[in-house]
């Protein structure tokens, strides 16, 4: 029960929570869930989620309030006119803004990858959109030091407080020990490399397919949405190299299946070109698996010193790094597994929620 004195309300623009298969959806959901457990803060303040996801509403309804997300509110004429003590723009590319320009405003920036991924009018729109959000912000949170430095390299940041708050790891080593027992539909008959992410050019999955030609008795399993042109390119490469029996494209998978693949894979590979954070890296580490990453953007920051890194994407070079890394891992297995698990547990949503609450307080008080 809230205390009797007037509370302040914090609106979180979290409409992406409707799609829990997306990275933003997972971020919105896990942050909201962690905030819902901060009862001392919630006794004094109200947190309101912009949300249409009925399962999330049912789960969090005892501690969190909800605003029903209406798509038309993306347009300036129909912006939300309710007054809030603080508006948190949880995703930097949302078009949903408060009607009042005087509302205290916190912005979370995940990345500015669009600068490399888009062009023309679409790029101009995204640049101007982020400039506008930065200009109206009372404070900015970045999900990594890389995201902070990359944003500052391309945008003018006014003299306002800036913070780095890392995402939490969705998995806890102790709580996942007995999970992943049930076999999913596709179970490789040989040791397999696992990767996950929507099939997009920046994920760079095709390099794993090319690398597989130089590895023997290993299967590649890739999970994530396949409704893209890049997914068709992956299928073409699989056919071209005659790897139909060694590459499995799963599409979106259930959480229980994801745990199975993390738990049972030979290694986790993530050759992504652009990441603001890279949550799957921590998820895989939870299970003590050897981690192979590109050395691009935020991945060295999140992957730490015990991960193995590709500095180029020549297929033979990648295979050599993989084989050398697996040898190093196997020869020092206990050390590496402990290091991975300990590193993965340093990133918690509980810590992220507490850090965000401290930022909320700094703006509200």
């Amino acid at each position: 029960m809230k205390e009797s004195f007037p509370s302040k309300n914090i609106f979180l623009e979290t409409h992406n929570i409707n799609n829990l298969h997306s990275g933003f959806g997972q971020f919105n959901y896990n942050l909201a869930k962690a905030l819902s457990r901060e009862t001392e803060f919630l006794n004094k303040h109200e947190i309101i989620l912009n949300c249409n996801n009925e399962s999330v509403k049912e789960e969090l309804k005892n501690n969190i309030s909800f605003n029903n997300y209406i798509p038309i509110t993306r347009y300036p004429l129909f912006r939300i006119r309710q007054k809030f003590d603080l508006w948190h723009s949880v995703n930097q590319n949302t078009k949903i803004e408060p009607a009042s320009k005087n509302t205290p405003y916190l912005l979370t920036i995940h990345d500015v990858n669009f600068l490399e991924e888009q062009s023309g009018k679409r790029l101009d729109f995204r640049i101007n959109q982020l400039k506008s959000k930065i200009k109206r912000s009372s404070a900015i949170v970045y999900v990594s030091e890389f995201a902070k430095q990359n944003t500052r390299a391309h945008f003018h940041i006014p003299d306002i407080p800036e913070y780095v708050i890392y995402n939490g790891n969705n998995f806890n080593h102790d709580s996942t020990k007995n999970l992943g027992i049930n076999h999913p539909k596709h179970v490789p008959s040989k040791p397999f490399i696992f990767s996950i992410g929507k099939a997009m050019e920046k994920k760079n999955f095709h390099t794993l397919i090319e690398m597989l030609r130089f590895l023997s008795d290993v299967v590649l399993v890739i999970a994530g949405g396949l409704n893209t042109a890049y997914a068709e390119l992956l299928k073409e490469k699989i056919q071209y190299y005659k790897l139909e029996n060694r590459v499995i494209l799963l599409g979106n998978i259930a959480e229980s299946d994801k745990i199975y693949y993390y738990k049972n894979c030979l290694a986790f590979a993530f050759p992504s070109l652009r990441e603001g954070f890279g949550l799957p890296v921590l998820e895989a580490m939870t299970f003590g698996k050897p981690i192979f990453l590109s050395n691009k953007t935020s991945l060295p920051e999140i992957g730490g010193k015990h991960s193995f890194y590709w500095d180029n994407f020549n297929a033979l070079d990648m295979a050599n790094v993989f084989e050398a890394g697996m040898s190093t891992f196997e020869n020092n297995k206990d050390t590496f597994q402990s290091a991975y698990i300990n590193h993965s547990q340093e990133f918690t949503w509980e810590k992220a929620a507490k850090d965000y609450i401290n930022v909320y307080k700094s703006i509200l008080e």
Side-chain angles (χ1 to χ4, degrees):
M1 179 170 301
K2 292 186 184 296
E3 297 182 13
S4 58
F5 56 80
S7 65
K8 293 185 177 180
N9 55 18
I10 301 116
F11 182 88
L12 273 63
E13 203 304 274
T14 54
H15 81 278
N16 292 110
I17 209 169
N18 295 338
N19 178 12
L20 294 181
H21 285 300
S22 70
F24 278 154
Q26 280 293 311
F27 176 84
N28 290 189
Y29 169 67
N30 284 292
L31 178 60
K33 186 166 65 171
L35 288 170
S36 75
R37 295 192 286 263
E38 295 297 317
T39 53
E40 182 179 353
F41 182 76
L42 293 172
N43 283 337
K44 300 177 181 179
H45 304 292
E46 179 183 20
I47 287 181
I48 304 165
L49 300 187
N50 202 24
C51 171
N52 279 356
N53 190 316
E54 294 303 322
S55 64
V56 173
K57 288 182 178 181
E58 182 63 26
E59 180 183 359
L60 304 183
K61 65 182 181 182
N62 291 334
N63 293 318
I64 298 284
S65 301
F66 298 93
N67 178 77
N68 192 42
Y69 164 59
I70 303 173
I72 200 172
T73 56
R74 293 177 297 167
Y75 300 99
L77 186 63
F78 301 98
R79 283 179 176 165
I80 298 171
R81 298 189 177 279
Q82 182 180 347
K83 291 185 177 180
F84 302 103
D85 295 295
L86 173 59
W87 179 290
H88 182 183
S89 186
V90 178
N91 307 323
Q92 82 266 7
N93 63 355
T94 179
K95 296 179 181 178
I96 302 164
E97 302 283 15
S100 172
K101 294 188 179 298
N102 296 322
T103 303
Y105 190 94
L106 174 64
L107 174 63
T108 294
I109 296 180
H110 297 257
D111 61 65
V112 290
N113 291 340
F114 64 86
L115 294 171
E116 298 181 53
E117 298 169 354
Q118 299 178 353
S119 60
K121 292 183 179 180
R122 179 60 181 163
L123 176 59
D124 291 340
F125 171 81
R126 290 292 302 277
I127 289 173
N128 291 329
Q129 179 190 43
L130 186 53
K131 282 182 177 179
S132 176
K133 286 176 176 288
I134 291 171
K135 185 176 181 180
R136 74 181 300 169
S137 293
S138 308
I140 297 175
V141 170
Y142 307 91
V143 301
S144 65
E145 287 289 348
F146 170 79
K148 177 180 179 180
Q149 297 307 321
N150 202 29
T151 302
R152 293 184 66 88
H154 293 94
F155 292 88
H156 170 70
I157 307 299
D159 186 18
I160 58 174
E162 297 174 89
Y163 308 88
V164 172
I165 300 179
Y166 290 117
N167 296 351
N169 182 359
N170 293 340
F171 296 141
N172 178 278
H173 176 67
D174 292 330
S175 64
T176 55
K177 281 182 179 178
N178 297 320
L179 299 179
I181 298 173
N182 296 327
H183 288 193
K185 181 179 178 181
H186 298 285
V187 177
S189 59
K190 294 182 177 181
F192 64 94
I193 300 167
F194 182 52
S195 194
I196 189 168
K198 185 176 181 179
M200 302 168 64
E201 172 274 333
K202 71 177 181 179
K203 296 300 182 183
N204 210 24
F205 290 139
H206 69 278
T207 64
L208 297 178
I209 296 171
E210 294 169 350
M211 176 187 72
L212 206 65
R213 295 176 295 146
F214 299 96
L215 300 174
S216 58
D217 295 320
V218 179
V219 173
L220 173 63
V221 177
I222 301 175
L226 297 173
N227 188 26
T228 65
Y230 183 67
E232 297 307 310
L233 183 147
L234 297 181
K235 294 174 185 177
E236 290 173 6
K237 282 196 174 288
I238 293 168
Q239 291 179 341
Y240 179 79
Y241 292 121
K242 298 182 174 15
L243 294 171
E244 290 90 343
N245 294 326
R246 296 184 61 199
V247 182
I248 302 172
L249 301 179
L250 294 173
N252 289 324
I253 59 175
E255 197 75 358
S256 58
D257 289 354
K258 182 167 72 169
I259 291 172
Y260 175 88
Y261 291 116
Y262 279 135
K263 192 171 186 177
N264 293 282
C265 67
L266 175 69
F268 178 75
F270 203 58
S272 181
L273 299 173
R274 294 182 291 278
E275 294 292 329
F277 186 78
L279 185 56
V281 177
L282 297 179
E283 292 181 339
M285 282 186 179
T286 307
F287 300 90
K289 296 300 179 174
I291 306 295
F292 293 85
L293 310 171
S294 77
N295 65 349
K296 308 296 182 186
T297 62
S298 65
L299 292 179
E301 180 181 349
I302 305 305
K305 64 181 181 180
H306 284 89
S307 294
F308 303 99
Y309 295 95
W310 290 301
D311 60 13
N312 74 79
F313 301 107
N314 173 275
L316 181 56
D317 289 347
M318 289 181 70
N320 289 337
V321 168
F322 182 81
E323 290 182 327
M326 288 303 302
S327 177
T328 300
F329 176 84
E330 291 297 334
N331 290 332
N332 305 274
K333 196 167 186 176
D334 290 343
T335 298
F336 271 81
Q337 286 185 327
S338 295
Y340 284 137
I341 293 168
N342 291 338
H343 183 69
S344 75
Q345 302 306 288
E346 292 174 3
F347 298 78
T348 69
W349 285 109
E350 178 184 13
K351 182 179 186 306
K354 292 182 184 301
D355 287 346
Y356 269 104
I357 283 174
N358 286 335
V359 176
Y360 295 161
K361 289 178 178 178
S362 72
I363 298 173
L364 292 170
E365 295 174 354

